[in-house]
Structure formats: C-alpha cells, structure tokens
Amino acid sequence: MNGACSPARTTTLVLAALAMAIALLGTLPPPAAEAARAAPPGKAKHVRLVQPTISGDRAGFTVKWDRAKRARTYRVRWSTSPTMAGASGTSTRGRSVVLRNLAQGVSYCAQVRAKAGSRKGPWSRPVCRTTPRLDRVGAPWVSGQVVQGASPSTIAVTFSWPRVAGATGYQVDYAPGTGAVQSNRKRKSVKADISGSRTVRGLTPGATYCFQVRALSKWGTGLSSTTGCRLLTRAERTPPPRAFALDLATWNVCSTMCTKPSWAKRQTAVRDRMLRMNADVIAVQEAIAATPYLNTNLSGYTRGCQVGDGTAAQGNTVGRQALYVRTSTYRVVAGTNQGIIFSQVGGIYPSHGACWVEVQDIKTGQHVVVASVHLVHPIGAKYDKGRDKQTLELLGAIATRYAGRPMPPVVLGGDFNSHRQRAYDGPRARLEANGYRDSFDIAARFLTPTYRNSAHGWATTPLVTPRTGNHLDRVFTSAGVHAASWRIDEPLTADGRYYAGLLSDHSPVITSLRIPY
C-alpha cells in the first residue's frame, strides 16, 4: 500500500475541518455585541439627598439614585460647593450611600457616576440640600422647688432651659452628686415637651443634683447642654399657714466709687428703676451720693435707716448703706433705726457697714426687721474670715437691740461679697448657724436663670457660672420665712445681653417673701 489517502478518508477529513471552522466562527461576537461591551456605563439618574439626620453637633444625609446601564459599581462625591471643589468621595456596589459627620445648617451637593471596570460613566448633575440644624441647649437652671410629703419629705424640682428652634421635645438627664452626669450610674432621663421646662419629683433633700438637657427633633438628638447643679437644702420651706407679704430688693448702686458715668448722670434712671421694681423695701449699698437724691426724689418711699443711725458718725461712712420703705404697705416703727460700722479687715478702711429698722405691715399690724448690709470686698482667706467676723458683729448688734424682748422676723439684704464658690463662705456659714437661710437656696420659684451673677462689673455680657451660680447680692431670712420667688432685675436684649447704659456695676436682686405670724 502506498501513503495516499483513500477518497472516502479525504472527504471525512475535509468535513471535519469545515465543522471546526464553523464552530470557531460561531464563537466570535458579532460587531454590535462587541461595540456594546466596549461602551461606558450610562448616567446615574434621579439622584437625591434624603433622610436628613442629626447626631450631637453633626448632621447627615443618604444619597440615593436609580440604576445606570452597564454599571457594576458607583462613585459618589459630595462638597459644600456646586462646582464640587474640594469634594470627598466613596465607592459602592449598591445604589445608596449614607453621608455622616456633616456640619449642621450647611448646603451640601452630591454627584454620582457609574463604573464598569476601568470604564466610567458621566457624572450626574449636582443635587444640593441644606443639612438640618439643631442648636445646643443653653445652660439650664432650676426654676422651681417644692417640698412634698413629710418625714421623710422629698423635693419636686422644675428644670428650665432656653428653647431651641426646630426642637420637637427635650431630654433631661439628672444625677445625684457634683460630677459628670452622663457617666453617673445613677443617672435618670425624662422626656419633656417644647415648653422648655420639666418637673421631676422625688428628689432627696440635702443632696446636690446635676443636670443636662438635650434637644430632640424629627432628625435626631442634639448635644447635651452645659451642666447645671443645685443643692436641695433640707430646710426648703413651704408657705406658712399665716403670713404677710414682703417684697425686698437689694441693690449696690455704686453712687460714689463708680464715676464713669457719674452718679449725677445715673440718678434719675436709678430712681425710675427702683419705682418700676415695685418692692416694699429697697436696701441700697454704696449710697453716699445716692441718699441725698433718693431721700427727696423716691416718691412713695421713706428712708428707714442709714449707716450712722444710732452711732457716732464717722465721716463719709454716713449714708453708705441705706434702706427705703414703701409707705403704702409698711410703716417705719419710730426709734428702731440702728446702724453699725464694721471693724477694719486687712487694712481696708472701715467703710463697710449695715443699718436696720423695724417696720410694720399695714394690713396685719405685724412687725419685721429689715436691713441693708455691705461686707468687706477683697478675695482671699483673710477676707473670708473677715466677712465671717463682720456677720457676727451684725448679728450681735441686732441681738443687743432686742435683748430682753422678742425679736421679730429678720430679713438681711445686701452685698455680702461672698458665695458658695469661695474657699469659705463666711456669711452663709455664720448666718446658717443662727437659723438664717439664703433666699437663693430656698426660693420656691426662680424667675431669672440662677447661673447669672448679680454683679457684672459694667459688662453687657452677663457674668455666668453655669453649674451653680455666684451671687454677691443676697437676701438672708430668719427661721420660718418663706421665699416665694427670687430674681435678678436687669432687662436683656434678644441675644441675651444687657442693654448698654447699665446703671451700676451690680444688678438688683428681688425676693418675694412671706413672713409668718
């Protein structure tokens, strides 16, 4: 046999080759399919910013879009500029991205484009939306406190705070102690409506509670406020069954030491403010230049006492502290006006002192002793002790005046130059040991925020101590007197500042008292 193939075998081989060629040709894509695979992804459509959120001081959005043709992944970018300058970006296989950690109240723009491997679709047009805003709640305070029950009693406390635009409610967090609220294991939380206050019952007398407030909204929860604290003294006083009313204002008018503006330029406005306060008794400190004017121009009031009454006058100390009584509600008991000039402390000239007088409530015929007090002013341990000594001198002088006969209830208003944040609050410690209480501690209602300081040094921005408040101007009352309300009388502008043209470096403090009989 030779190597030539038979005709039959040749035909078979040719047919096999043809079949393989046809099969290979069938696996090649047609031109249209090849072009489609090489095309970039389509444009992402219907891009939108939805589901705005707030968490603390940050905000967020969710970016959503419809599916793009031939897309395998998507690239999302966002910026505060419609030109997308400085944009941040991220990639995803899905069709939504949550944007977090955005600033509140800021317009953000977002774009999306589809990707398929190295092929990229066009960016969508920028879509912009402003993030929601929920401001931090301003400093809260205790605006009311009421004793409930007896032996053991509890205290119902009303917390108040400035309302926040956009809030649909609030959360109040409170805990015993003076430390951090949020990490306190005894922390409790209650919800509040949009009114800006919430009463919490069952708190323990004698304990200090600290509290914070955060705003709630349909977008989420804002930041917690600064911390406020309140000592709930054990002797919170309920209204006496029988009592007469006494509204007492105390005001250091700085009539001599403060010369810019001069007293002559302020005196008419000071007088007008006193008349608007509508108090029964006005205790005035640093009144050397003020008394000659007020004695003749404070219509409806009579001078009840001044430093120097009952003592040998010592130069310009006469009239340094004075007290005025409204004649339509109280009458001055003749011969009861007394005064004291305090002993010198630390080289400070003995210009500080007090005066007091007994007055009679016209409606009931009942008597009460009212005083205007000014203690030594510098800061330091020596002066803390000096204020303690001067308080003791005052109490001794009043007690001597009433030796051998019953002493009426006593109300001491004035500039005590001390508060709980001092290393030693001598006046409070000495007065509490003798049965007196600071109306700031025991008032049933607080009509202005308790974190504002009554002394402001002529600054139109209020001096504040958010946690506890510092009050140099105080009203102390003897046992049994009920403090119905407490307030600082200084009008504020819409942005929370004092108006220009302040009348002194102190603001008046006014308490509404109920004197038992």
Side-chain angles (χ1 to χ4, degrees):
M1 293 184 62
N2 57 34
C5 295
S6 66
R9 185 173 181 181
T10 300
T11 300
T12 301
L13 293 172
V14 170
L15 291 173
L18 286 172
M20 183 176 291
I22 291 171
L24 290 172
L25 288 172
T27 63
L28 297 176
E34 180 65 30
R37 291 197 177 187
K43 187 176 183 179
K45 297 181 179 181
H46 195 204
V47 178
R48 60 257 188 212
L49 295 173
V50 297
Q51 299 173 351
T53 61
I54 281 178
S55 178
D57 65 342
R58 311 306 293 170
F61 280 129
T62 297
V63 186
K64 291 188 175 182
W65 58 92
D66 292 347
R67 180 186 175 112
K69 293 181 180 179
R70 297 176 296 279
R72 294 183 183 176
T73 61
Y74 296 91
R75 183 69 178 173
V76 182
R77 66 179 182 179
W78 60 95
S79 171
T80 56
S81 169
T83 65
M84 308 310 291
S88 301
T90 188
S91 298
T92 181
R93 293 181 178 274
R95 285 186 286 118
S96 68
V97 166
V98 177
L99 305 182
R100 297 183 176 88
N101 204 34
L102 306 181
Q104 292 187 17
V106 174
S107 179
Y108 282 86
C109 301
Q111 287 181 296
V112 180
R113 74 174 175 187
K115 296 179 66 177
S118 61
R119 296 183 296 279
K120 302 175 182 177
W123 285 106
S124 66
R125 66 179 181 83
V127 176
C128 303
R129 185 173 179 178
T130 300
T131 55
R133 182 181 183 89
L134 192 62
D135 289 336
R136 186 176 191 167
V137 177
W141 70 95
V142 168
S143 59
Q145 49 188 7
V146 179
V147 174
Q148 295 186 315
S151 191
S153 60
T154 61
I155 298 178
V157 169
T158 300
F159 300 104
S160 293
W161 55 88
R163 290 187 289 181
V164 171
T168 56
Y170 299 89
Q171 178 177 312
V172 181
D173 302 318
Y174 63 96
T178 59
V181 175
Q182 301 303 322
S183 59
N184 192 317
R185 294 182 179 180
K186 295 183 178 181
R187 175 176 63 89
K188 294 184 179 180
S189 300
V190 294
K191 296 295 176 61
D193 60 23
I194 61 172
S195 64
S197 67
R198 178 65 154 84
T199 298
V200 175
R201 305 180 189 281
L203 302 188
T204 304
T208 295
Y209 286 82
C210 291
F211 44 91
Q212 292 180 297
V213 181
R214 65 183 75 189
L216 310 177
S217 74
K218 61 183 178 181
W219 309 300
T221 303
L223 281 174
S224 291
S225 67
T226 56
T227 301
C229 297
R230 183 76 192 177
L231 169 64
L232 305 181
T233 56
R234 293 188 179 277
E236 305 291 348
R237 295 179 180 139
T238 55
R242 255 191 349 167
F244 57 94
L246 171 68
D247 290 349
L248 185 139
T250 182
W251 192 5
N252 183 328
V253 297
C254 196
S255 66
T256 303
M257 299 300 294
C258 299
T259 58
K260 294 182 179 181
S262 68
W263 171 250
K265 292 181 179 179
R266 293 183 280 130
Q267 61 185 8
T268 302
V270 169
R271 185 272 315 274
D272 292 346
R273 171 77 70 82
M274 288 180 172
L275 294 175
R276 286 196 300 270
M277 292 189 305
N278 199 33
D280 298 305
V281 174
I282 305 174
V284 186
Q285 297 82 49
E286 297 193 24
I288 294 174
T291 46
Y293 175 80
L294 295 175
N295 289 346
T296 57
N297 290 280
L298 191 60
S299 177
Y301 289 81
T302 185
R303 189 181 69 195
C305 68
Q306 68 178 29
V307 170
D309 288 351
T311 66
Q314 296 187 22
N316 67 0
T317 58
V318 175
R320 186 172 288 276
Q321 276 63 251
L323 185 142
Y324 294 87
V325 180
R326 185 163 60 182
T327 55
S328 63
T329 53
Y330 280 85
R331 65 172 56 95
V332 175
V333 178
T336 62
N337 53 315
Q338 294 287 304
I340 182 173
I341 298 170
F342 295 132
S343 59
Q344 187 170 333
V345 177
I348 302 297
Y349 180 77
S351 58
H352 297 83
C355 77
W356 64 92
V357 68
E358 190 173 321
V359 298
Q360 183 183 33
D361 176 49
I362 293 175
K363 285 185 178 180
T364 65
Q366 300 299 312
H367 291 220
V368 59
V369 176
V370 288
S372 178
V373 183
H374 192 195
L375 303 185
V376 68
H377 58 277
I379 298 173
K382 175 169 58 177
Y383 299 103
D384 288 339
K385 293 179 180 178
R387 283 180 280 270
D388 184 328
K389 180 181 178 182
Q390 290 179 342
T391 304
L392 184 60
E393 290 176 4
L394 174 62
L395 292 174
I398 296 176
T400 299
R401 176 68 179 81
Y402 287 93
R405 64 188 183 95
M407 183 188 299
V410 179
V411 179
L412 308 174
D415 179 359
F416 288 82
N417 276 307
S418 190
H419 47 71
R420 286 185 179 272
Q421 282 63 56
R422 291 277 165 87
Y424 174 58
D425 186 8
R428 178 185 56 80
R430 180 63 60 183
L431 287 164
E432 285 185 350
N434 285 270
Y436 288 78
R437 299 307 297 266
D438 188 348
S439 62
F440 178 74
D441 290 337
I442 65 173
R445 291 191 304 153
F446 296 89
L447 306 182
T448 56
T450 52
Y451 52 73
R452 281 168 45 196
N453 196 332
S454 56
H456 49 70
W458 299 99
T460 55
T461 299
L463 180 62
V464 301
T465 308
R467 287 183 71 91
T468 53
N470 289 347
H471 298 285
L472 303 176
D473 301 280
R474 304 162 84 170
V475 177
F476 287 91
T477 59
S478 59
V481 175
H482 173 69
S485 67
W486 178 100
R487 78 179 191 271
I488 292 176
D489 187 77
E490 193 69 69
L492 296 172
T493 63
D495 62 353
R497 297 169 66 88
Y498 293 138
Y499 286 93
L502 289 164
L503 300 179
S504 175
D505 58 347
H506 287 240
S507 296
V509 168
I510 304 177
T511 59
S512 183
L513 306 173
R514 301 295 180 266
I515 314 295
Y517 67 95

